[in-house]
Structure formats: C-alpha cells, structure tokens
Amino acid sequence: MEITMKRIDKGIELYGDGKKVGEIDFILREDGLYDIYHTEVDSSMNGKGLAGKLVAAAADAIAKEQKQTRATCSYASAWLKRHHEYDSLFVPEEGK
C-alpha cells in the first residue's frame, strides 16, 4: 500500500492507495502556539503506526514554521511526550 500525505488548511490528510484513511488537525492559536486538536485514522488501518506518522508530520510542519505546539488531542499529547526529539517543540498544558 502506498501511503501519502497532503497538507491542507486545517492540518494534514493521510491517503492509502489514493483513498483518504486519516487526518490530523491543528490550528495557530492567538497566543502564537499551534494546537494539535484531532487525530483520526480509519479503523481498517489500526495497528500500522499511521497515527504516529501523522503526529510526526504535523510536528515537522509546525517546526518548519519555527513555532511550538500544544496538543489538546490526547493521542498527540501522549505521542509527543514519548518522542523526546520534539521536546523543544511541544508545550504541554499546565498540570498535564
């Protein structure tokens, strides 16, 4: 299966063999930080590591803009906490 990603206004879409199978949504907040607020992968694609690839792609896109991000999406937050190569990019919510 060929996996591709496409940057859109609100985030990144994930395609498997040309069919949309996932997405990650993030916005630039008024305080200048991004917020990764939604990650979704079609259940037929579970267990393939695609949600993690989406979070990494979002983080890389945000880093390219020399910004930082919060993650109100619980999956993205947990993923970023485990991947220390993104520590300078990720700003956890206070108390979490």
Side-chain angles (χ1 to χ4, degrees), residues 61-86:
I62 291 165
K64 192 178 282 188
E65 293 185 27
Q66 298 181 339
K67 300 282 188 182
Q68 291 181 300
T69 192
R70 294 200 183 270
T72 54
C73 166
S74 60
Y75 178 85
S77 179
W79 191 94
L80 287 163
K81 287 176 185 173
R82 288 192 315 270
H83 290 83
H84 297 289
E85 64 270 30
Y86 293 103

Side-chain angles (χ1 to χ4, degrees), residues 22-73:
E23 65 184 21
I24 189 164
D25 301 323
F26 50 97
I27 58 168
L28 184 59
R29 299 168 8 154
E30 289 182 13
D31 63 5
L33 296 172
Y34 273 91
D35 178 23
I36 301 173
Y37 64 91
H38 174 75
T39 306
E40 182 177 354
V41 174
D42 187 274
S43 62
S44 69
M45 304 299 283
N46 285 353
K48 299 184 185 313
L50 297 178
K53 290 183 188 305
L54 277 170
V55 177
D60 291 342
I62 291 165
K64 192 178 282 188
E65 293 185 27
Q66 298 181 339
K67 300 282 188 182
Q68 291 181 300
T69 192
R70 294 200 183 270
T72 54
C73 166

Side-chain angles (χ1 to χ4, degrees), residues 1-5 14-18 21 45 48 50 53:
M1 172 175 285
E2 180 185 5
I3 300 295
T4 58
M5 294 187 201
L14 177 74
Y15 293 86
D17 290 337
V21 294
M45 304 299 283
K48 299 184 185 313
L50 297 178
K53 290 183 188 305

